[in-house]
């Protein structure tokens, strides 16, 4: 079955692909197929992911209306809001729950902690206890379903403490949200086409909510990265078909994407479109990056057609800047200069003066702060910054469009 069939009317499909570009493309096509004015529920692994899908789809058709963007946790909070208000319950985060566990440890004392009594005075017990109880509740287990009696006693005390304080944790929020979906309480949100974009499903509570949303949705597209077998196993909803990406996987990059998280590796090839290197530290790694750039330049690739994507720009920037300088490779950095350029700030101040009707007041205030660069010994303006630094980063949302125009 081709991946294009995943967008058919009334279809409920899980689209599995190793390439993020393919999953995003399917998500965009799914949203557009619903219509510019139709309500669509977009649930992303992060808020930025959901917003990126909406922006990308809207850019191709202009104005749109009725697209709801959520993360799974935020959607659960919105769905459970009515039940929480009616019952006068307050959702709390990890820190209050850790304090609740500390109160339980103090209240039960050595006699009620069982085998944990020997570490009752250790500061790490409440935090570890909070993580354990959170996992049990996210798995949907009650105290009588936990075989360990000491842990079951602590879980019962934890639930009693939450009830006494009218508090709820994320497991209860997910349960109430699932209940709201299954009972038809929130028909304004659920029941529309649903896109679950790379949403990880890690436990029973998240599975129940996703299954309820999928059951109520008129159409469903859930994208899953290849290798995320846990999400795929928990997302085996009734009536949902799994569709694999049919793109060409003969290149080294495609094989790397497919087998990156696989338990078994496929045989390699002599193709050089993917090169994997290892270096002892960020400095040596940046040196290897500079060597790769020089190698590509020897093959005829211009420097302005190369890009370096960094996982941690703050950690790598200084090392990469030094390596490129030693290799005589001209470069600019997408996050701009580390220090503000005084000449640029003075120019912006002059523009502000012009916008104020050529008033000298603002510029005089700017000069009083000593922000203008010092003149040379001869009294002339300071020399301009290096050409590689004459760049200002565009708005984050405009970066993809700027890259397309520069291509």
């Amino acid at each position: 079955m081709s991946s294009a069939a995943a967008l058919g009317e009334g279809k409920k499909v899980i689209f599995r692909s190793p390439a993020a570009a393919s999953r995003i493309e399917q998500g965009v096509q799914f949203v557009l197929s619903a219509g510019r004015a139709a309500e669509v529920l977009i649930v992303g692994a992060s808020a930025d992911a959901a917003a990126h899908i909406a922006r990308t789809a809207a850019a191709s058709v202009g104005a749109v209306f009725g697209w709801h963007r959520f993360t799974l946790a935020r959607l659960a909070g919105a769905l459970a809001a009515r039940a929480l208000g009616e019952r006068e319950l307050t959702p709390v985060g990890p820190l209050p729950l850790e304090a609740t566990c500390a109160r339980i440890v103090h209240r039960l004392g050595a006699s009620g902690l069982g085998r944990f009594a020997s570490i009752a005075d250790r500061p790490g017990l409440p935090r570890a206890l909070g993580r354990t109880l959170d996992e049990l509740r996210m798995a949907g287990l009650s105290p009588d379903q936990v075989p360990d009696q000491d842990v079951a006693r602590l879980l019962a005390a934890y639930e009693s403490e939450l009830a006494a304080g009218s508090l709820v944790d994320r497991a209860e929020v997910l349960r109430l949200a699932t209940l709201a979906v299954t009972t038809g309480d929130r028909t304004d949100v659920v029941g529309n086409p649903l896109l679950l974009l790379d949403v990880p499903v890690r436990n029973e509570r998240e599975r129940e909510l996703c299954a309820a949303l999928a059951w109520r949705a008129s159409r469903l597209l859930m994208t899953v990265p290849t290798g995320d077998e846990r999400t795929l196993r928990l997302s085996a909803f009734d009536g949902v078909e799994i569709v694999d990406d049919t793109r060409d996987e003969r290149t080294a990059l495609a094989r790397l994407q497919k087998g990156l998280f696989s338990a078994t590796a496929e045989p390699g090839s002599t193709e050089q479109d993917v090169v994997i290197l290892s270096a002892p530290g960020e400095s040596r790694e940046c040196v290897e990056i500079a060597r790769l750039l020089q190698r590509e330049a020897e093959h005829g690739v211009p420097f302005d057609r190369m890009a370096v994507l960094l996982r941690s720009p703050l950690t790598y920037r200084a090392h990469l800047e030094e390596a490129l300088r030693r290799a005589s490779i001209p470069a600019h950095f997408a996050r701009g200069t580390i220090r503000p350029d005084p000449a640029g700030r003075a120019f912006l101040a002059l523009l502000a003066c012009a916008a104020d009707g050529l008033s000298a007041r603002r510029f005089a205030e700017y000069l009083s702060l000593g922000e203008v660069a010092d003149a040379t010994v001869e009294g002339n303006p300071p020399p301009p910054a290096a050409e590689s630094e004459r760049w200002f980063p565009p708005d984050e949302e405009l970066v993809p469009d700027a890259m397309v125009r520069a291509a």
Side-chain angles (χ1 to χ4, degrees):
M1 179 179 179
S2 66
S3 60
L7 304 178
E9 186 66 30
K11 289 281 187 178
K12 295 186 178 182
V13 173
I14 296 177
F15 178 71
R16 178 171 55 184
S17 172
S22 297
R23 301 193 300 271
I24 292 175
E25 180 184 0
Q26 288 293 324
V28 170
Q29 294 301 322
F30 177 84
V31 172
L32 291 176
S33 66
R36 297 170 57 187
E39 289 195 272
V40 181
L41 185 58
I42 304 174
V43 183
S46 64
D48 289 339
H52 176 70
I53 286 290
R55 285 196 302 265
T56 304
S60 62
V61 295
V64 295
F65 181 79
W67 293 358
H68 306 276
R69 300 171 296 172
F70 291 97
T71 61
L72 189 63
R74 186 175 178 184
L75 176 60
L79 294 173
R82 182 178 301 174
L84 293 173
E86 292 174 349
R87 305 179 189 185
E88 298 182 350
L89 299 174
T90 303
V92 292
L95 186 59
L97 294 177
E98 183 178 336
T100 300
C101 292
R103 188 181 302 114
I104 293 173
V105 171
H106 177 73
R107 180 167 58 84
L108 293 180
S111 59
L113 292 176
R115 70 176 188 277
F116 302 111
S118 59
I119 56 174
D121 58 341
R122 304 299 173 87
L125 179 59
R127 182 174 303 173
L129 183 60
R131 292 197 298 264
T132 301
L133 298 181
D134 176 70
E135 292 181 2
L136 292 174
R137 285 178 57 79
M138 291 295 285
L141 298 177
S142 60
D144 56 349
Q145 294 176 310
V146 178
D148 191 299
Q149 295 301 316
D150 294 333
V151 177
R153 188 183 306 108
L154 290 170
L155 179 58
Y158 177 77
E159 294 181 349
S160 300
E161 197 72 30
L162 291 180
S166 298
L167 306 176
V168 292
D169 55 3
R170 59 172 183 157
E172 183 64 13
V173 171
L174 289 170
R175 190 190 71 83
L176 292 176
T178 303
L179 185 63
V181 175
T182 55
T183 58
D185 185 35
R186 292 299 303 273
T187 56
D188 58 326
V189 176
V190 300
N192 301 309
L194 171 64
L195 170 63
L196 296 173
L197 182 71
D198 294 355
V199 176
V201 181
R202 295 289 178 259
N203 47 66
E204 183 64 18
R205 289 299 185 208
E206 293 176 348
R207 188 203 67 81
E208 291 174 351
L209 178 56
C210 290
L213 291 170
W215 174 67
R216 290 290 305 276
S218 59
R219 296 169 57 204
L220 168 69
L221 175 63
M222 181 176 184
T223 63
V224 178
T226 300
D228 191 358
E229 298 300 330
R230 185 176 184 180
T231 294
L232 195 64
R233 183 178 68 255
L234 294 175
S235 302
F237 311 133
D238 294 335
V240 178
E241 182 180 3
I242 299 177
V243 176
D244 287 311
D245 192 0
T246 57
R247 70 192 188 96
D248 186 12
E249 297 182 352
R250 290 175 296 180
T251 65
L253 178 59
R255 286 197 301 273
L256 175 64
Q257 292 173 329
K258 181 179 179 181
L260 185 60
F261 300 104
S262 176
T264 58
E266 296 184 5
S269 67
T270 59
E271 299 174 4
Q272 295 297 317
D273 51 347
V274 175
V275 177
I276 301 177
L277 59 89
S278 178
E282 292 84 356
S283 179
R284 293 293 299 273
E285 189 174 352
C286 291
V287 171
E288 294 298 328
I289 292 175
R291 289 175 177 170
L292 287 175
L293 297 178
Q294 288 181 327
R295 194 177 308 160
E296 291 297 326
E298 293 174 356
H299 295 161
V301 181
F303 285 128
D304 59 2
R305 302 296 296 174
M306 303 180 190
V308 179
L309 304 181
L310 300 175
R311 176 184 59 83
S312 178
L314 292 178
T315 304
Y316 280 85
R317 172 167 178 142
H319 301 293
L320 184 61
E321 194 170 5
E322 177 67 15
L324 296 181
R325 185 188 66 80
R326 288 175 175 270
S328 300
I329 298 177
H332 70 78
F333 293 82
R335 295 294 179 182
T337 57
I338 296 178
R339 298 181 180 85
D341 191 334
R345 295 183 64 177
F347 179 65
L348 291 176
L350 286 173
L351 292 179
C353 291
D356 286 349
L358 301 179
S359 169
R361 177 177 56 84
R362 280 197 176 186
F363 193 62
E365 293 176 354
Y366 184 81
L367 292 176
S368 67
L369 299 176
E371 296 291 342
V372 180
D374 296 331
T376 62
V377 178
E378 295 79 10
N380 298 322
E387 186 176 355
S388 60
E389 294 292 341
R390 299 178 195 173
W391 185 82
F392 187 79
D395 192 330
E396 291 291 341
E397 295 190 3
L398 301 180
V399 168
D401 294 337
M403 293 176 64
V404 171
R405 290 194 299 269

